[in-house]
Amino acid sequence: MTLFSRISNLFRRVIDVRIWLSSAAVIILILLLVLTVNYAREKDMAELFSRQQLANVKNTATRLSEIFSQVEKNIALFSHFDFQLEKTPEEVDSYYKILSSGWENAFNSIVLLDATGKVKSFYPRENLPGINLSDHFKIIKKEQKQYLSVAVPGKLRVADFKQKTGRYLIIGYPLQHQSGEFGGAWIVIFSLAVVVNKYEEQAGYNEMGEVWLIDENQQIIIHDNPAFIGENIKSLFKNGKGTQIDFSAGQGGYFEAMVRQNDTKQQRSVIAFYPLQAGYKRWILFVATPYSQVISPVRKTFVYTLFGSFLLILVVIIAGISFAYKEGKRLRIKEGEKRLKEREDWQEKLLREKKIMEGIIEGSPIPSFVINNEHKVILWNQACTELTGYSAEDMLGTDNQYKPFYSTPRPVIADLIIDNKREDLSKYYSTKQIKKSDNVLGAYEVIDYFQNLGGCSRFLYFLAAPIYNEKGEIVAAIETLQDISREREMTKSLSEYAETMQNELIENIELRRRIEDLYNYLQTIITSLPDKIYEMDENGIINYMSSGLKKGETQIRDFKGKYFIDFVAPGYEEIVLSKWQDAKKGIYDSYEIEATGEDGRKHNLLITTSPLIGTNHYILVQRDITEFKNLEKQLYESQKLSALGQLSAGIAHEIRNPLSSIKMSLQILAKRMTPEGNDLKRFKIAEKEVEHLEMLVNDILAFAKPVEPKKNPVDISKVLEQAIAMSEKGISDKKIEVQTKYDNVPHVTVDAAMITDAFINIIRNAVEAIENNGKITVSLRYAYETRQSIVVEITDNGSGINEEDMPHIFNPFFTRKNYGTGLGLSLVKKIIDIHQGTIDIFSKKNEGTKALIILPLVTESTLSHITN
């Protein structure tokens, strides 16, 4: 069996399976549709039956109510019957006939009782009541109103319950004398069997269900099962949703429920109910019909329809199978004819293709030959003739395919493929780099050199591949040849060129290494410079920044690609931008700015801008000249102090001694003359002025005298406490509140005495500026997040300093006090500068003053001192 036949049979089986599955699916869908329609019809049938049943129950309940109403009316006509009057039996019978008119077949007997409960008469005379009426009479006598009840004369048999016999309806009515006293009672006894059966027959209930009757307490009065008599009606069933049914409403209704048949069995039923008025009591009449009986006509119709549908489907299936068999047979015959024609077409096509392939191979520029499984040459194209010098007439039909290449008989690659001797390939071509082809399945390729082939030496590339028939068997083999001598020469040339390129690459790598070494050397030089170098484009964007000698400050990546003005110290933006515009115009003037480092120290920077030759970029050099500025300032201060020292020495020599003499003379005169009044006042003024002059001379000497600080680690909080204690007199005199807040900071290396004098000066200035009951705040904390310096803040709420005086507060001899020397803040600034710190005063008139003193935790001189 051919592969095509197998596929065809498999396809036919798949189609058959699909047909059967489709048929089964259609049948299932039809059944589901029929079941759905039948379910809907059953629901409609149950609904219609329930409505009809409700109408019948309503009609029966209405008729029973009319019977009870007629009995009440008849009894009411004789409610004033006088027992004292003598009546003939014929007259008494006429009374009974009037009472029983209209319901002669329904009642059992009529009894007349006197006031003591004795039976005066009864009707009919031959039917003596079989029920004990004394209990009913007592209730009538006690309540003095109409009475209604159901009575059972002792024990009953099960058959009596099923026939509804042996149960009686008692209707009583009290009688009164003309004086209004109780005179007896009428009692009418009905047979429930007669009343209920009469209307069961009229409504046809005997075939359609059971009739139940419940009283006003919803207890069962009439039921086919005696075990349920006296039970509550709600205990018999629940509706489909599991909720209890409420019968207290005045209207009737219907519902479906599972009804108890006994203790273990339940039955689905359709129940209709309607209330009836029995005298002054409200009873309810029920009719329960089994659900299966209600829908039995629909189910019969469904069964007949389903059976007919199955017969129809069976007929359709049999007819379909017969048609499919005949059609399949016809199709198989047609398919066979088609395959036979296709085979003829394929054979013809194969012949054409064979001729085409032979023509292609014959006309191909690639030398090729084909041998069959008998190792005979069956094709030798023109290109092969031109390459080898052997014609097709010499080679076709022979096994001499080796002659153009080898002098002795031996197999070529195509022969080994025909014989499937793959292991012999390495035997004949072990030195020829034979390998399996990556592109053609089952093919092998090899490169061989021939010194004299077709009159010249050649490199040939052989590729041989098997040819298979439709069964996968090797029937022939084709071998192609390509002259790759030129490619070999090109490969040799490329190899030599690659060697040359490799040598040049090695030289380039060596040159690159030298360039990198030079770059690294130049980079080291730039990095070693004390200045920072910035390379910027014409828009001021930073492209490069050297690190300088000081490492670990700001990361270079934080600057690269950003506008350089963003990193200029606040307040200098306009100056720097102006100089940048001048540089772009060709004016390259150096300028100075001031910046604050991360340690809180101020730095003076010299900025120089120059063009980068050959580009539109610029080089900006930043040099830290803080030390030069400090040296310059120290030189100026030393010159000023030197002059001031010479002046102070002269003052000390010329003024201090006379002042001492004047002071001593004033003290001697005061003791001898014992002045009083204005004279004593003048003596005191003179002594005070002399003391003021002495203090002035002492301050000048202290300011002018060069002092070298003696630095040691000191707890600044204790220094502040000492300064506050030494200012205690002024603080207590003015009742000033002093608040302190000291953070936990390390010791600072300072001259304790000099720093104490500085803090005392600041605190005393604050005390002098404050009125009574003022406030001074002293705090100590780190100055910056880097925690390399601390700040002391002294704040008061005194009179403050005028804005025009703020630039001069650190100048020597500048003061607004009546007795001040003007050297206090100058001396404080001198002490802070000696400790490489800063002091700033912030003040507004009438708003108080704040002094900020920043001291570095470790300075360069301190480090040198500690190292030594």
Side-chain angles (χ1 to χ4, degrees), residues 374-391:
E374 297 177 355
H375 302 278
K376 302 295 184 181
V377 178
I378 60 175
L379 183 63
W380 188 276
N381 69 356
Q382 183 62 31
C384 195
T385 299
E386 295 174 357
L387 177 67
T388 62
Y390 287 82
S391 65

mmCIF file of all heavy atoms in Angstrom, residues 374-391:
data_model
loop_
_atom_site.group_PDB
_atom_site.id
_atom_site.type_symbol
_atom_site.label_atom_id
_atom_site.label_comp_id
_atom_site.label_asym_id
_atom_site.label_seq_id
_atom_site.Cartn_x
_atom_site.Cartn_y
_atom_site.Cartn_z
ATOM 1 N N GLU A 374 24.771 0.352 -10.890
ATOM 2 C CA GLU A 374 25.696 -0.627 -11.455
ATOM 3 C C GLU A 374 27.055 0.009 -11.760
ATOM 4 O O GLU A 374 27.887 -0.592 -12.446
ATOM 5 C CB GLU A 374 25.104 -1.230 -12.725
ATOM 6 C CG GLU A 374 23.819 -2.011 -12.479
ATOM 7 C CD GLU A 374 23.208 -2.538 -13.769
ATOM 8 O OE1 GLU A 374 23.759 -2.188 -14.846
ATOM 9 O OE2 GLU A 374 22.203 -3.279 -13.692
ATOM 10 N N HIS A 375 27.234 1.233 -11.273
ATOM 11 C CA HIS A 375 28.482 1.992 -11.444
ATOM 12 C C HIS A 375 28.762 2.343 -12.902
ATOM 13 O O HIS A 375 29.926 2.526 -13.297
ATOM 14 C CB HIS A 375 29.696 1.229 -10.848
ATOM 15 C CG HIS A 375 29.541 0.915 -9.387
ATOM 16 N ND1 HIS A 375 29.800 1.815 -8.387
ATOM 17 C CD2 HIS A 375 29.114 -0.219 -8.752
ATOM 18 C CE1 HIS A 375 29.577 1.274 -7.220
ATOM 19 N NE2 HIS A 375 29.132 0.016 -7.399
ATOM 20 N N LYS A 376 27.737 2.405 -13.725
ATOM 21 C CA LYS A 376 27.872 2.802 -15.112
ATOM 22 C C LYS A 376 27.550 4.288 -15.216
ATOM 23 O O LYS A 376 26.592 4.779 -14.585
ATOM 24 C CB LYS A 376 26.914 2.013 -16.023
ATOM 25 C CG LYS A 376 27.104 0.496 -15.948
ATOM 26 C CD LYS A 376 28.473 0.056 -16.483
ATOM 27 C CE LYS A 376 28.603 -1.481 -16.478
ATOM 28 N NZ LYS A 376 29.948 -1.910 -16.967
ATOM 29 N N VAL A 377 28.338 4.971 -16.036
ATOM 30 C CA VAL A 377 28.100 6.400 -16.244
ATOM 31 C C VAL A 377 26.867 6.559 -17.117
ATOM 32 O O VAL A 377 26.818 6.003 -18.235
ATOM 33 C CB VAL A 377 29.329 7.062 -16.903
ATOM 34 C CG1 VAL A 377 29.050 8.535 -17.155
ATOM 35 C CG2 VAL A 377 30.571 6.895 -16.043
ATOM 36 N N ILE A 378 25.882 7.278 -16.620
ATOM 37 C CA ILE A 378 24.653 7.511 -17.392
ATOM 38 C C ILE A 378 24.524 8.974 -17.802
ATOM 39 O O ILE A 378 23.633 9.322 -18.577
ATOM 40 C CB ILE A 378 23.414 7.076 -16.584
ATOM 41 C CG1 ILE A 378 23.310 7.876 -15.270
ATOM 42 C CG2 ILE A 378 23.450 5.578 -16.298
ATOM 43 C CD1 ILE A 378 22.037 7.575 -14.484
ATOM 44 N N LEU A 379 25.424 9.836 -17.301
ATOM 45 C CA LEU A 379 25.376 11.240 -17.700
ATOM 46 C C LEU A 379 26.775 11.831 -17.519
ATOM 47 O O LEU A 379 27.402 11.646 -16.460
ATOM 48 C CB LEU A 379 24.352 12.012 -16.854
ATOM 49 C CG LEU A 379 24.159 13.480 -17.219
ATOM 50 C CD1 LEU A 379 23.607 13.613 -18.654
ATOM 51 C CD2 LEU A 379 23.190 14.149 -16.236
ATOM 52 N N TRP A 380 27.219 12.525 -18.568
ATOM 53 C CA TRP A 380 28.546 13.169 -18.537
ATOM 54 C C TRP A 380 28.391 14.475 -19.312
ATOM 55 O O TRP A 380 28.284 14.473 -20.532
ATOM 56 C CB TRP A 380 29.592 12.252 -19.188
ATOM 57 C CG TRP A 380 31.017 12.718 -19.043
ATOM 58 C CD1 TRP A 380 31.666 13.622 -19.827
ATOM 59 C CD2 TRP A 380 31.953 12.303 -18.080
ATOM 60 N NE1 TRP A 380 32.948 13.809 -19.410
ATOM 61 C CE2 TRP A 380 33.161 12.991 -18.318
ATOM 62 C CE3 TRP A 380 31.915 11.394 -17.011
ATOM 63 C CZ2 TRP A 380 34.318 12.813 -17.556
ATOM 64 C CZ3 TRP A 380 33.062 11.220 -16.269
ATOM 65 C CH2 TRP A 380 34.250 11.925 -16.535
ATOM 66 N N ASN A 381 28.304 15.615 -18.606
ATOM 67 C CA ASN A 381 27.935 16.851 -19.301
ATOM 68 C C ASN A 381 29.129 17.478 -20.008
ATOM 69 O O ASN A 381 30.281 17.049 -19.850
ATOM 70 C CB ASN A 381 27.277 17.838 -18.337
ATOM 71 C CG ASN A 381 28.246 18.388 -17.304
ATOM 72 O OD1 ASN A 381 29.402 17.985 -17.257
ATOM 73 N ND2 ASN A 381 27.766 19.312 -16.475
ATOM 74 N N GLN A 382 28.800 18.527 -20.791
ATOM 75 C CA GLN A 382 29.796 19.175 -21.633
ATOM 76 C C GLN A 382 30.887 19.836 -20.803
ATOM 77 O O GLN A 382 32.065 19.825 -21.177
ATOM 78 C CB GLN A 382 29.095 20.216 -22.526
ATOM 79 C CG GLN A 382 30.022 20.913 -23.523
ATOM 80 C CD GLN A 382 30.648 19.952 -24.506
ATOM 81 O OE1 GLN A 382 30.053 18.915 -24.866
ATOM 82 N NE2 GLN A 382 31.866 20.255 -24.958
ATOM 83 N N ALA A 383 30.471 20.449 -19.615
ATOM 84 C CA ALA A 383 31.466 21.114 -18.773
ATOM 85 C C ALA A 383 32.485 20.113 -18.260
ATOM 86 O O ALA A 383 33.681 20.426 -18.124
ATOM 87 C CB ALA A 383 30.760 21.822 -17.603
ATOM 88 N N CYS A 384 32.039 18.890 -18.006
ATOM 89 C CA CYS A 384 32.943 17.842 -17.530
ATOM 90 C C CYS A 384 33.908 17.432 -18.651
ATOM 91 O O CYS A 384 35.081 17.140 -18.415
ATOM 92 C CB CYS A 384 32.126 16.652 -17.045
ATOM 93 S SG CYS A 384 33.077 15.481 -16.037
ATOM 94 N N THR A 385 33.393 17.408 -19.899
ATOM 95 C CA THR A 385 34.250 17.097 -21.048
ATOM 96 C C THR A 385 35.343 18.142 -21.196
ATOM 97 O O THR A 385 36.517 17.832 -21.418
ATOM 98 C CB THR A 385 33.399 17.010 -22.312
ATOM 99 O OG1 THR A 385 32.439 15.976 -22.155
ATOM 100 C CG2 THR A 385 34.266 16.720 -23.546
ATOM 101 N N GLU A 386 34.975 19.435 -21.090
ATOM 102 C CA GLU A 386 35.941 20.517 -21.233
ATOM 103 C C GLU A 386 36.987 20.492 -20.132
ATOM 104 O O GLU A 386 38.142 20.831 -20.360
ATOM 105 C CB GLU A 386 35.207 21.861 -21.247
ATOM 106 C CG GLU A 386 34.308 22.024 -22.460
ATOM 107 C CD GLU A 386 33.484 23.293 -22.377
ATOM 108 O OE1 GLU A 386 33.582 24.007 -21.348
ATOM 109 O OE2 GLU A 386 32.738 23.584 -23.338
ATOM 110 N N LEU A 387 36.579 20.096 -18.907
ATOM 111 C CA LEU A 387 37.535 20.094 -17.789
ATOM 112 C C LEU A 387 38.510 18.927 -17.875
ATOM 113 O O LEU A 387 39.724 19.087 -17.662
ATOM 114 C CB LEU A 387 36.761 20.045 -16.464
ATOM 115 C CG LEU A 387 37.612 19.964 -15.196
ATOM 116 C CD1 LEU A 387 38.399 21.262 -14.997
ATOM 117 C CD2 LEU A 387 36.721 19.690 -13.972
ATOM 118 N N THR A 388 37.977 17.724 -18.225
ATOM 119 C CA THR A 388 38.812 16.513 -18.153
ATOM 120 C C THR A 388 39.430 16.138 -19.496
ATOM 121 O O THR A 388 40.434 15.407 -19.545
ATOM 122 C CB THR A 388 37.964 15.338 -17.647
ATOM 123 O OG1 THR A 388 36.900 15.085 -18.573
ATOM 124 C CG2 THR A 388 37.381 15.648 -16.278
ATOM 125 N N GLY A 389 38.819 16.565 -20.594
ATOM 126 C CA GLY A 389 39.306 16.167 -21.912
ATOM 127 C C GLY A 389 38.702 14.859 -22.389
ATOM 128 O O GLY A 389 39.022 14.385 -23.492
ATOM 129 N N TYR A 390 37.812 14.236 -21.614
ATOM 130 C CA TYR A 390 37.117 13.010 -21.986
ATOM 131 C C TYR A 390 35.695 13.366 -22.412
ATOM 132 O O TYR A 390 34.978 14.050 -21.677
ATOM 133 C CB TYR A 390 37.083 12.020 -20.825
ATOM 134 C CG TYR A 390 38.408 11.353 -20.541
ATOM 135 C CD1 TYR A 390 39.384 11.994 -19.774
ATOM 136 C CD2 TYR A 390 38.663 10.080 -21.031
ATOM 137 C CE1 TYR A 390 40.593 11.400 -19.513
ATOM 138 C CE2 TYR A 390 39.898 9.459 -20.765
ATOM 139 C CZ TYR A 390 40.846 10.132 -19.998
ATOM 140 O OH TYR A 390 42.059 9.525 -19.748
ATOM 141 N N SER A 391 35.280 12.847 -23.593
ATOM 142 C CA SER A 391 33.951 13.172 -24.117
ATOM 143 C C SER A 391 32.912 12.227 -23.537
ATOM 144 O O SER A 391 33.231 11.180 -22.950
ATOM 145 C CB SER A 391 33.939 13.072 -25.643
ATOM 146 O OG SER A 391 34.164 11.714 -26.040
#
